[in-house]
Amino acid sequence: MLVSAKDMLVKAEQGHYGVGQFNINNLEWTKSILLTAQELESPVILGVSEGAGKYMCGYKTVVGMVNGMLEELNITVPVALHLDHGTFEGSKKCIQAGFSSIMFDGSALPFEENLAKTKELVHCCDILGISLEAEVGSIGGEEDGVIGAGECADPNECKTINDLGVTMLAAGIGNIHGKYPDNWAGLSFETLEAIRAVTGHTPLVLHGGTGIPDDQVKKAISMGVAKVNVNTECQWAFCDATRAYIEAGKDKEGKGFDPRKLLAPGAEAIKATVKEKMEMFGSVGKA
Ligand code: 13P
């Protein structure tokens, strides 16, 4: 059964480790993440962007697929199904479809509007026992066509949003989605410290988990980050492994083209990436 991300993140914040959010794009991807979490006895959050939700035939299909896998694969570790960077409308749709966790990203809206919409969703999610992530200060890079520029969030705005009672807070600390530019200045630990000082024990979320040096991720976790999002690295792993399989001509071997065999190396590559991240975040054995 899907669970809210609240308990796993409260425990992670107290235990000074991070829970990984891995974004999903298809069946193989989802299966790889769930099997790895089970094998490593780690809690896990499956992230779904609005674009990925659309690609996978809508949120109800995603909920059906994930619930089916939890049962058929005997997954017993805590799993949350989380909307990633949702609009207000998308958040409502995912709540109705059966997601157990929502991120409402109002960071591109005027602050007062972000505040009002987050407040409405806090109320709704509280009643339904769904965890809610809010965002303050746009995270850089490209996410479903929206490009931000590695901002640092205003701690006062973080406090105002946090005080609404959100489960977890994503606040820009110089992090960027996707590839980091060569001249990237690194995470702003001063900003993280200032945010932490006014948000208490609310689990903080680090977006853009691909390409941040391990020591910076670990330092951020030691300072209150309890959830780390990874997407691009799994995409690279999946595509590189598939490309290598084709370039080696393996799709032409034996009886010929077999889509299950074609996708198998990508699925294995995702498992390896997820394992490496869970070990680095410290969530292994914490289920
Ligand atoms: P990356 O694509 O940089 O790993 O970031 C993922 C993310 O933050 C999803 O919200």
Side-chain angles (χ1 to χ4, degrees), residues 173-210:
I173 55 168
N175 38 332
I176 297 174
H177 289 122
K179 199 171 182 303
Y180 285 82
D182 294 339
N183 61 353
W184 181 54
L187 295 177
S188 168
F189 293 107
E190 305 78 60
T191 308
L192 179 55
E193 200 174 4
I195 293 167
R196 179 75 167 156
V198 292
T199 55
H201 286 280
T202 300
L204 299 174
V205 182
L206 183 64
H207 281 248
T210 296

Side-chain angles (χ1 to χ4, degrees), residues 21 23 84-85 143 176-178 207-210 229-232:
Q21 173 193 306
N23 285 41
D84 189 32
H85 292 284
E143 187 77 11
I176 297 174
H177 289 122
H207 281 248
T210 296
N229 291 6
V230 179
N231 179 30
T232 307

Side-chain angles (χ1 to χ4, degrees), residues 5-19 43 162 167-169 192 195-197 199-205 220-228 281-283 286:
K6 184 168 183 165
D7 282 357
M8 61 173 97
L9 293 178
V10 166
K11 281 189 199 153
E13 191 274 334
Q14 286 168 356
H16 305 290
Y17 59 90
V19 176
N162 178 60
T167 318
M168 56 196 131
L169 187 68
L192 179 55
I195 293 167
R196 179 75 167 156
T199 55
H201 286 280
T202 300
L204 299 174
V205 182
I221 290 173
S222 77
M223 293 173 70
V225 163
K227 172 173 175 276
V228 185
F281 302 160
S283 68
K286 297 294 199 298

Side-chain angles (χ1 to χ4, degrees), residues 114-263:
N114 186 5
L115 187 69
K117 290 190 161 149
T118 303
K119 188 172 178 182
E120 192 176 327
L121 288 168
V122 166
H123 183 65
C124 178
C125 289
D126 267 357
I127 292 171
L128 296 168
I130 293 172
S131 43
L132 179 69
E133 175 178 344
E135 178 170 333
V136 183
S138 137
I139 314 259
E142 185 175 340
E143 187 77 11
D144 279 347
V146 181
I147 299 176
E151 276 179 32
C152 284
D154 174 348
N156 292 325
E157 291 188 352
C158 291
K159 178 173 168 32
T160 309
I161 295 268
N162 178 60
D163 289 352
L164 294 175
V166 298
T167 318
M168 56 196 131
L169 187 68
I173 55 168
N175 38 332
I176 297 174
H177 289 122
K179 199 171 182 303
Y180 285 82
D182 294 339
N183 61 353
W184 181 54
L187 295 177
S188 168
F189 293 107
E190 305 78 60
T191 308
L192 179 55
E193 200 174 4
I195 293 167
R196 179 75 167 156
V198 292
T199 55
H201 286 280
T202 300
L204 299 174
V205 182
L206 183 64
H207 281 248
T210 296
I212 303 177
D214 289 6
D215 59 332
Q216 292 191 37
V217 174
K218 286 184 189 168
K219 185 168 174 188
I221 290 173
S222 77
M223 293 173 70
V225 163
K227 172 173 175 276
V228 185
N229 291 6
V230 179
N231 179 30
T232 307
E233 212 162 321
C234 289
Q235 293 180 331
W236 287 336
F238 189 85
C239 293
D240 286 350
T242 311
R243 191 177 307 115
Y245 184 82
I246 293 171
E247 280 173 2
K250 296 204 183 215
D251 56 320
K252 303 278 192 309
E253 283 174 7
K255 279 195 262 172
F257 188 74
D258 179 342
R260 289 180 226 158
K261 284 192 183 149
L262 173 70
L263 295 174

